[in-house]
Amino acid sequence: MTKTLPVLRGVLLVPFLLLLAGAPPARAAPHEERSGNWLRLGVTRGDARSGDTRGVLLFCDPPQGHGRAAEACEQLRSAGGDIGRIPPRSGAVCPMIYAPVTVSAYGAWDGLRVDYTRTFSNSCAMGAETGAVFDLPS
């Protein structure tokens, strides 16, 4: 009986060691990243602490997710993805009424991170300076 115990241990140990040796290492699931040109857009009317906020996800490859996606994407392409470089709308006449609007955008454009926030005196001034990008439905 004393000779069978080490043999029995060896018989049970060999399959266990083979199982361990053949097991692939555990890996985390690959993190899926959004590719292409996309922006998460937000518009807050009124005071940022108590305002009404709307938002949308704008994709530009192909244009979608936004009521005026094709126009907004074209304006962004012309500005190299920099919202601050969108040319102001010529001939825009906005009232001098203070009704603040804060806009924000974050995402990626041509592989670069986009992070934009700005407060305008009113929605007319916002539209005159940012084109169709923040023209979200009410």
Side-chain angles (χ1 to χ4, degrees), residues 66-126:
H66 182 297
R68 295 174 63 191
E71 188 178 354
C73 290
E74 183 54 41
Q75 291 171 349
L76 285 163
R77 273 188 199 92
S78 296
D82 183 351
I83 298 168
R85 287 184 39 208
I86 293 175
R89 190 174 66 219
S90 62
V93 178
C94 294
M96 295 191 64
I97 297 172
Y98 185 70
V101 178
T102 301
V103 297
S104 62
Y106 69 86
W109 195 271
D110 289 338
L112 300 174
R113 181 178 177 194
V114 174
D115 194 358
Y116 176 89
T117 302
R118 182 164 173 204
T119 300
F120 294 92
S121 58
N122 57 48
S123 58
C124 179
M126 173 200 69

